[in-house]
Amino acid sequence: MNKPEPSTRVSADGLRYSNKTPGSPFAGVGHTRSCFLCGAHRQSSALKSKRILGRIEMVCAPACSSAT
């Protein structure tokens, strides 16, 4: 998920505000969770459970690199 670089402007009183699109990047996606290994947010259907260090964690299915 590449975010566009926010443009900034300086107001008349010297404060700088960043302009970005309003809302959440997860809007309309539904229920998302993050992968334990890569940290990317995916829908629950795109994750699988895997035992890591004695705990069940959710990871990308089939692999983090292929789930872009």
Side-chain angles (χ1 to χ4, degrees), residues 1 24-34 41-45:
M1 297 178 166
S24 171
F26 306 112
V29 176
H31 182 69
T32 61
R33 297 186 67 181
S34 61
H41 284 265
R42 310 267 183 235
Q43 287 188 346
S44 296
S45 60

Side-chain angles (χ1 to χ4, degrees), residues 4-26:
E5 194 66 32
S7 62
T8 61
R9 63 182 168 89
V10 179
S11 66
D13 59 358
L15 295 177
R16 183 174 300 217
Y17 297 95
S18 65
N19 298 326
K20 62 179 185 175
T21 57
S24 171
F26 306 112

